[in-house]
Amino acid sequence: MRHKPTYLIVLLCFFLSMSFANSQSDKQKELEAKRQKYQNELKQINALLFSDRKKEKSLVSLVEDLSYKVSVRQNLIKVTNDQANLLTREINANQNEISSLRDQLKELKESYAAMVVKSYKSKSEQSRVMFLLSSDNFKQAYKRLQYIKQYANYQKEQGELIKSKTLRLQDLNTDLLRQKKDKDKLVQDNKLVKKQLEIELKEQEELMVSIRKNLNSYASQAKKKQQEIDKIDREIDRLIREAIAASNKKAGNTSTSSNTFVLTPEAKALARNFESNKGKLPWPVEKGVVKVKYGTQPSPIDRNISIKSNGVRIATEKNAVVRAVFKGTVLAVISQKNGNPAILIQHGNYITVYKNLSKLYVEKGDVVETKQQIGEVSTSREGETMLWFSLYDSNKPINPAIWVYKM
């Protein structure tokens, strides 16, 4: 019948609109997950870095903490704006679809009403029988019978279509009310976050004014700190190279230029197991936030000074216990004359490093299990408790944030 293509087109449009709505919903869920992540991170920052205002932190530490907090809050504002903008697009799309559905429903109801009137006028069984009997031949009678059936089915389909569109319209109106409510809440939440950001930026600027008065001194301190970091990184590199050379020598390989471990079958299996847990490794401390990320980044004190980090620096609570992120063997324990100890744990050709410890629970050669306690994090005189955590593939440092769960 002539009406069939129209019916199919309407259904196709309906399913396309539903598919679009589902993709929008998935995007909203993704943005909401990010928003929750930043909100939780801010709670952790407040708990671990700003819980005790009585302690006199150095200006440098305060600026670093505030810079980190500001960056997270800016990310929160951005993702909330993205959510609000997406909701605006969804609201507009729903309003357009509601308007279109109302027009379609009006047209369908008018068409359906006309069909009902027509059917009523020719409703009597006698008129149908006469319509069939007046056929010129059997073939024409059969076609007329088929037409009567098709017309009845079409009436039923139109009735079902009106019903489904009415339900869709009700759902859209409900969604529209919810979306407007959600958007209003997001806008209000963002106003509060922006207000807090303004306070923090003002506080940050006041601290920077104090620092700029004696910038050379603070820059010198930052360079000295980086030199100490480079020194322990060189020591870690030396220990790993020695371990690689020892594994090669044991395997009968006399080459001194090898940068990879020669592994036993058991060590290879351990390395494969470690690799299969990429992105799922536990945090080396129960509570923590990554204050300094992996890689080279400008100092918040002086943008001309670069901070080079072979791992991540995790701010945690006082007396925090350090845990091995995977089973392995303690490769080495570094004890520094003017610094805090560090532990290296080997997992096949992978090595995890835990720096800035105050207490050690293991020693070289110990076999450890996943989440086994290996020591405690040191707390500085300014009250800052920071674990420096690194990950190496043989002697090459790699980003641990990719390997640790939701880091």
Side-chain angles (χ1 to χ4, degrees), residues 264-407:
T264 63
E266 293 81 8
K268 286 180 181 177
L270 181 62
R272 285 195 298 271
N273 199 1
F274 187 90
E275 287 173 352
S276 68
N277 281 275
K278 187 176 183 178
K280 297 181 284 187
L281 296 175
W283 280 61
V285 287
E286 283 191 10
K287 295 179 182 178
V289 289
V290 177
K291 186 175 169 182
V292 178
K293 296 179 181 179
Y294 172 85
T296 302
Q297 49 226 281
S299 167
I301 304 301
D302 185 349
R303 309 296 287 183
N304 295 317
I305 299 174
S306 294
I307 297 173
K308 184 187 174 185
S309 178
N310 278 348
V312 292
R313 303 178 199 176
I314 304 170
T316 185
E317 56 192 348
K318 190 176 180 182
N319 301 322
V321 173
V322 182
R323 313 176 299 182
V325 299
F326 203 74
K327 58 186 176 183
T329 303
V330 178
L331 180 68
V333 174
I334 301 174
S335 297
Q336 303 176 81
K337 188 175 181 181
N338 298 316
N340 296 314
I343 295 172
L344 282 70
I345 298 178
Q346 186 174 359
H347 321 273
N349 57 292
Y350 293 97
I351 294 164
T352 50
V353 182
Y354 312 77
K355 295 182 276 185
N356 196 36
L357 307 180
S358 60
K359 294 181 181 179
L360 304 175
Y361 300 163
V362 293
E363 55 187 32
K364 184 178 178 179
D366 284 354
V367 175
V368 297
E369 294 297 321
T370 303
K371 288 190 177 181
Q372 181 177 325
Q373 297 181 354
I374 60 173
E376 288 181 21
V377 187
S378 176
T379 300
S380 68
R381 284 174 293 181
E382 293 85 13
E384 189 173 61
T385 308
M386 190 88 67
L387 174 69
W388 299 37
F389 175 69
S390 302
L391 174 59
Y392 289 78
D393 180 355
S394 293
N395 67 335
K396 180 186 175 185
I398 54 180
N399 189 357
I402 298 169
W403 292 74
V404 177
Y405 181 69
K406 289 187 178 181
M407 181 172 278

Side-chain angles (χ1 to χ4, degrees), residues 174-190:
T174 302
D175 283 348
L176 196 61
L177 290 172
R178 177 190 56 76
Q179 287 166 340
K180 287 179 177 178
K181 188 177 178 181
D182 288 347
K183 183 184 174 183
D184 289 342
K185 187 177 184 306
L186 285 171
V187 170
Q188 288 303 316
D189 287 350
N190 232 16

Side-chain angles (χ1 to χ4, degrees), residues 216-271:
N216 289 336
S217 175
Y218 288 114
S220 178
Q221 289 176 33
K223 287 178 181 177
K224 185 179 178 182
K225 188 176 181 180
Q226 185 64 52
Q227 287 170 357
E228 291 170 358
I229 294 166
D230 292 342
K231 183 180 178 182
I232 190 170
D233 284 343
R234 285 195 297 271
E235 177 63 9
I236 290 167
D237 185 63
R238 183 186 69 80
L239 289 168
I240 293 173
R241 286 185 180 280
E242 284 183 1
I244 288 172
S247 73
N248 277 265
K249 186 177 180 181
K250 190 174 180 180
N253 182 2
T254 56
S255 173
T256 57
S257 61
S258 177
N259 293 320
T260 57
F261 286 95
V262 177
L263 302 175
T264 63
E266 293 81 8
K268 286 180 181 177
L270 181 62

Side-chain angles (χ1 to χ4, degrees), residues 50-266:
F50 295 89
S51 60
D52 195 348
R53 288 283 189 170
K54 293 178 183 177
K55 283 184 179 174
E56 283 297 322
K57 281 190 176 182
S58 68
L59 279 175
V60 174
S61 291
L62 282 172
V63 170
E64 287 176 350
D65 292 350
L66 265 173
S67 295
Y68 174 36
K69 191 176 182 181
V70 162
S71 69
V72 174
R73 202 174 291 282
Q74 286 171 333
N75 286 334
L76 176 60
I77 289 169
K78 183 183 181 302
V79 79
T80 307
N81 279 335
D82 289 344
Q83 272 188 285
N85 291 336
L86 182 58
L87 273 172
T88 300
R89 292 195 293 274
E90 287 180 358
I91 288 168
N92 291 337
N94 276 353
Q95 285 174 332
N96 290 335
E97 190 173 352
I98 285 169
S99 178
S100 175
L101 272 173
R102 281 175 179 159
D103 291 341
Q104 290 173 33
L105 270 173
K106 184 183 177 183
E107 188 179 332
L108 280 169
K109 285 177 180 178
E110 288 173 354
S111 174
Y112 189 73
M115 280 194 297
V116 169
V117 171
K118 187 178 179 181
S119 295
Y120 181 77
K121 288 179 179 178
S122 59
K123 191 174 182 181
S124 68
E125 198 66 35
Q126 186 179 359
S127 63
R128 291 181 184 178
V129 172
M130 289 303 296
F131 178 63
L132 291 173
L133 291 176
S134 63
S135 303
D136 294 335
N137 51 51
F138 179 79
K139 186 177 180 182
Q140 190 182 58
Y142 177 76
K143 284 184 176 180
R144 288 184 177 186
L145 180 62
Q146 291 299 105
Y147 172 79
I148 290 170
K149 287 181 179 179
Q150 288 176 5
Y151 192 76
N153 287 336
Y154 179 67
Q155 279 185 306
K156 186 178 178 181
E157 287 172 357
Q158 290 295 92
E160 290 296 322
L161 189 57
I162 289 171
K163 184 180 176 182
S164 67
K165 283 187 176 292
T166 302
L167 290 172
R168 174 65 179 157
L169 191 58
Q170 291 171 353
D171 290 341
L172 281 171
N173 280 318
T174 302
D175 283 348
L176 196 61
L177 290 172
R178 177 190 56 76
Q179 287 166 340
K180 287 179 177 178
K181 188 177 178 181
D182 288 347
K183 183 184 174 183
D184 289 342
K185 187 177 184 306
L186 285 171
V187 170
Q188 288 303 316
D189 287 350
N190 232 16
K191 282 181 181 177
L192 295 174
V193 176
K194 285 177 179 178
K195 190 175 180 180
Q196 190 60 42
L197 178 63
E198 288 173 8
I199 294 169
E200 289 163 358
L201 286 170
K202 186 178 178 182
E203 187 179 350
Q204 186 185 38
E205 181 55 32
E206 288 172 356
L207 289 170
M208 284 303 299
V209 168
S210 299
I211 286 176
R212 288 189 196 106
K213 290 176 182 177
N214 200 7
L215 185 60
N216 289 336
S217 175
Y218 288 114
S220 178
Q221 289 176 33
K223 287 178 181 177
K224 185 179 178 182
K225 188 176 181 180
Q226 185 64 52
Q227 287 170 357
E228 291 170 358
I229 294 166
D230 292 342
K231 183 180 178 182
I232 190 170
D233 284 343
R234 285 195 297 271
E235 177 63 9
I236 290 167
D237 185 63
R238 183 186 69 80
L239 289 168
I240 293 173
R241 286 185 180 280
E242 284 183 1
I244 288 172
S247 73
N248 277 265
K249 186 177 180 181
K250 190 174 180 180
N253 182 2
T254 56
S255 173
T256 57
S257 61
S258 177
N259 293 320
T260 57
F261 286 95
V262 177
L263 302 175
T264 63
E266 293 81 8

Side-chain angles (χ1 to χ4, degrees), residues 28-44:
Q28 276 291 7
K29 286 177 183 176
E30 181 187 329
L31 289 171
E32 179 59 23
K34 284 184 179 180
R35 193 169 77 97
Q36 292 291 336
K37 171 184 171 289
Y38 291 132
Q39 285 179 332
N40 291 334
E41 196 170 353
L42 280 171
K43 287 178 184 176
Q44 287 268 59

